[in-house]
Amino acid sequence: MSQSDVKPWVIVSSLKQDTNPQDLQRISPQVSALVDEWHANGRIMLSGPFDNALSSMAVFEATEEEARAFYKKYEDICSGILTYELYQWDVMPILSVLSK
């Protein structure tokens, strides 16, 4: 993986209208474990909810292959409970700066 292949990525998620608290309680530990796995590999991810209490965002740097693999795992966990999208984000690579 060359540093030039690494780009900022964003996953934006929102609760579906029919999501119930039990669904969130069920997936929360799985999402936390996925993020912990990312961090355990020495990678940085910034994530958190928006103030509307319905949406959240995760920002991370990865190659396209790594981003798509992470997104697939996220999708496997959250399908049917959240709506979510993965975007490549053309922004200053702040996570690269923070990781040094």
Side-chain angles (χ1 to χ4, degrees):
M1 165 179 72
S2 81
Q3 196 62 22
S4 64
D5 295 336
V6 174
K7 299 175 183 166
W9 296 86
V10 178
I11 296 176
V12 179
S13 304
S14 295
L15 293 175
K16 287 188 170 189
Q17 285 188 343
D18 60 350
T19 298
N20 65 57
Q22 292 81 16
D23 289 335
L24 289 178
Q25 289 173 352
R26 183 175 54 79
I27 68 168
S28 290
Q30 295 173 66
V31 172
S32 292
L34 182 60
V35 173
D36 289 347
E37 177 185 327
W38 188 260
H39 290 157
N41 289 319
R43 309 297 288 275
I44 296 175
M45 179 177 293
L46 301 175
S47 62
F50 292 117
D51 64 356
N52 67 1
L54 300 172
S55 304
S56 65
M57 182 171 82
V59 179
F60 60 102
E61 289 183 334
T63 63
E64 184 169 353
E65 182 178 333
E66 291 169 330
R68 301 244 178 251
F70 183 89
Y71 183 73
K72 174 67 173 123
K73 291 177 184 178
Y74 187 83
E75 181 177 49
D76 290 345
I77 295 167
C78 300
S79 179
I81 298 168
L82 303 176
T83 58
Y84 40 85
E85 291 291 331
L86 174 68
Y87 300 100
Q88 196 276 307
W89 194 18
D90 287 328
V91 68
M92 184 180 98
I94 188 70
L95 297 179
S96 293
V97 173
L98 292 176
S99 68
K100 295 184 184 201

